[in-house]
């Protein structure tokens, strides 16, 4: 095997943690996007970007998720495109092939955590309990999505996690809204939040892209 043919070493878990940190610092809000119609892919992304949201989590909750990731990576290379609602290794491999730049899961399994260790794509695993944090921690994960955040204890839970898990940081998702987002972002162990309030389904259905742009800008202004 020649030097060029040799597989390149994987990024370390510390390097992947740094990559997640950079993605979340730039994003502040990860919009959780479900594409109902292929025709909405580009105008929706453009509306979010015009409002300042340029890091997008495209979920696999619809048949258009993989296509959306492929289209956005090809036609909007200036955006950072991640894949959400990744449930197993097959989905992980599919979003990797589609060009996803990061992966988010709603929960964890041993196999999905192993897939993240074995890939150079940074994985943000979903957790809701200390035991799940410890399962990921043992493999080198230091960044997690708390999901569903409000049902799982919200701000109080994240504060409590800060005691035993001092080097862990979170992206709370699920129930985060304009009324509570500042409470989450005030916590030292919160790096960004996931949300959907700038993605009202009626706005998307009606092509009200200006409304989405305005709401995106208003959402980011909550962090100022």
């Amino acid at each position: 095997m020649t030097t060029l043919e040799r597989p390149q070493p994987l990024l370390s878990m510390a390097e992947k943690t740094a990559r997640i940190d950079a993605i979340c610092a730039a994003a502040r809000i990860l919009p959780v996007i479900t594409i109902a119609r292929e025709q909405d892919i580009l105008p929706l992304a453009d509306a979010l970007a015009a409002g300042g949201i340029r890091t997008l989590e495209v979920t696999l909750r619809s048949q258009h998720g993989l296509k959306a990731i492929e289209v956005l990576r090809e036609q909007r290379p200036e955006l950072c495109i991640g894949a959400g609602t990744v449930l197993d290794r097959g989905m992980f491999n599919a979003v990797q092939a589609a060009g996803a730049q990061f992966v988010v899961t709603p929960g964890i399994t041993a196999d999905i955590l192993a897939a993240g260790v074995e890939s150079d794509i940074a994985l943000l695993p979903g957790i809701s309990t200390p035991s799940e944090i410890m399962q990921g921690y043992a493999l080198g994960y230091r960044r997690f999505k708390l999901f569903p955040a409000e049902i799982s204890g919200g701000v109080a839970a994240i504060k409590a996690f800060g005691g035993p898990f001092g080097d862990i940081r979170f992206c709370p998702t699920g129930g985060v809204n304009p009324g509570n987002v500042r409470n989450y972002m005030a916590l030292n162990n919160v790096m960004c939040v996931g949300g959907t309030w700038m993605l009202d389904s009626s706005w998307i259905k009606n092509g009200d892209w200006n409304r989405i742009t305005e709401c995106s800008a208003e959402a980011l202004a909550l962090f100022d």
Side-chain angles (χ1 to χ4, degrees), residues 64-133:
H64 304 296
L66 280 175
K67 178 67 173 181
I69 293 168
E70 292 172 352
V71 167
L72 291 170
R73 290 289 288 128
E74 179 182 350
Q75 299 193 36
R76 298 295 185 271
E78 71 277 12
L79 302 180
C80 181
I81 307 300
T85 319
V86 174
L87 305 180
D88 57 35
R89 188 182 285 265
M91 286 184 171
F92 193 105
N93 292 340
V95 299
Q96 182 172 6
Q101 292 163 282
F102 62 96
V103 174
V104 185
T105 67
I108 61 168
T109 64
D111 195 43
I112 202 73
L113 290 176
V117 170
E118 296 162 10
S119 171
D120 271 341
I121 299 179
L123 171 63
L124 185 65
I127 58 87
S128 60
T129 68
S131 295
E132 291 169 322
I133 295 173

Side-chain angles (χ1 to χ4, degrees), residues 126-201:
I127 58 87
S128 60
T129 68
S131 295
E132 291 169 322
I133 295 173
M134 291 174 67
Q135 187 176 349
Y137 195 96
L139 294 175
Y141 290 93
R142 298 295 183 268
R143 304 293 183 260
F144 297 92
K145 177 175 83 168
L146 177 65
F147 178 80
E150 282 289 283
I151 295 174
S152 301
V155 169
I158 294 174
K159 284 182 178 178
F161 287 150
F165 304 114
D167 57 344
I168 299 297
R169 299 184 73 199
F170 299 93
C171 170
T173 306
V176 181
N177 57 58
N180 61 24
V181 65
R182 282 194 172 106
N183 295 332
Y184 281 104
M185 290 305 298
L187 302 177
N188 291 332
N189 54 348
V190 168
M191 53 188 174
C192 67
V193 301
T196 60
W197 71 88
M198 70 295 298
L199 296 166
D200 188 283
S201 60

Side-chain angles (χ1 to χ4, degrees), residues 26-29 48 51-53 197 215-224:
R28 294 180 288 175
I29 300 173
L48 290 164
I53 296 179
W197 71 88
C215 190
S216 298
E218 291 168 359
L220 288 175
L222 295 171
F223 294 82
D224 296 336

